[in-house]
Amino acid sequence: MKYQSLSAVAFVLAASALSGCGLIDEDSVGTQSKPEKNVNLQEAADRAEQILDGTLAGIKPEVEAARGPSSDSVCTDRKNDGVGTKTVTRRRYVMTIISEDRRGNFLGVIERQWKRNGYEITSVRRNKEMPAIFASTPEGFRVSLEIGYKGQASFVVTSPCATESEVTEAPREPIDPDSPAGKGLPYAHSDFWSADTPLSSPSPGAGG
């Protein structure tokens, strides 16, 4: 799969988050967790990247994906005071076009893969245009797959609280802003995922 730099995508997804509709159960990002005292922020970021890479590698047929911007957040106690730890968030944007007829299959592939890996499905957004699934790994990482504006599929992983440390940004290659990728929306065609017809047979499994 290919990774590209897509700063424009961040703005598109932010807009879709604000304009999302339907029945939403969002346990994915924003709540604090107990500090992982033996894990620093760099180690947490590396594990988040592994989770994303593993998830994408399990999608068959494969899709093109791009790294999104990283971020971190200070962990606080009940008084909203900092406790000397942070969470780190890493992102991937799927640049393959996932048609409306195949979105349910796409989410199904991911749900089955996550369950096989021991993830707990914490909530689901049952919305025809912008469905989503949220889960938690055994280590306490929160993971999500959301379908947003123009069918943009995005994966987000947020770590548990970890000891503060320097964090190396994952590499992202610059792209031409006038190229299809530079527009920040899915552009890569897949004979399977982009098809405008419902599946007449079960979707392919999530790798293995």
Side-chain angles (χ1 to χ4, degrees):
M1 66 197 67
K2 300 178 181 179
Y3 293 127
Q4 302 166 329
S5 174
L6 291 170
S7 57
V9 179
F11 294 99
V12 171
L13 291 181
S16 69
L18 292 174
S19 61
C21 58
L23 299 177
I24 301 176
D25 294 317
E26 296 187 357
D27 298 327
S28 61
V29 178
T31 58
Q32 302 298 350
S33 54
K34 293 182 180 180
E36 292 289 338
K37 295 182 180 180
N38 296 323
V39 176
N40 64 36
L41 211 57
Q42 180 64 66
E43 292 169 329
D46 291 343
R47 178 56 184 148
E49 294 285 347
Q50 291 173 357
I51 291 170
L52 288 165
D53 288 342
T55 296
L56 288 164
I59 300 173
K60 306 298 179 186
E62 69 177 14
V63 295
E64 288 194 27
R67 280 194 172 93
S70 302
S71 60
D72 57 62
S73 178
V74 174
C75 297
T76 58
D77 58 21
R78 292 182 179 180
K79 297 180 180 179
N80 205 34
D81 294 328
V83 294
T85 57
K86 287 185 174 181
T87 63
V88 63
T89 297
R90 293 293 170 95
R91 301 172 174 86
R92 294 282 195 282
Y93 302 137
V94 176
M95 303 317 297
T96 298
I97 299 168
I98 311 296
S99 71
E100 185 173 334
D101 288 306
R102 299 297 169 95
R103 290 173 193 170
N105 302 102
F106 189 72
L107 269 73
V109 164
I110 300 304
E111 180 178 4
R112 292 192 293 274
Q113 180 193 153
W114 284 352
K115 286 181 175 178
R116 283 201 301 270
N117 290 333
Y119 296 9
E120 177 187 359
I121 306 302
T122 56
S123 62
V124 175
R125 178 192 298 159
R126 303 187 185 281
N127 180 277
K128 183 178 181 180
E129 294 184 355
M130 295 184 177
I133 183 171
F134 305 93
S136 178
T137 74
E139 316 102 302
F141 285 74
R142 286 162 286 145
V143 300
S144 67
L145 163 60
E146 297 187 67
I147 306 295
Y149 180 70
K150 295 293 187 179
Q152 174 75 70
S154 62
F155 290 95
V156 179
V157 176
T158 298
S159 76
C161 295
T163 303
E164 291 191 47
S165 68
E166 294 293 327
V167 180
T168 301
E169 181 76 14
R172 292 192 289 150
E173 296 181 4
I175 61 172
D176 180 353
D178 295 324
S179 69
K183 298 184 185 302
L185 293 172
Y187 67 91
H189 179 83
S190 163
D191 289 341
F192 182 82
W193 294 117
S194 307
D196 291 325
T197 55
L199 281 180
S200 57
S201 59
S203 62

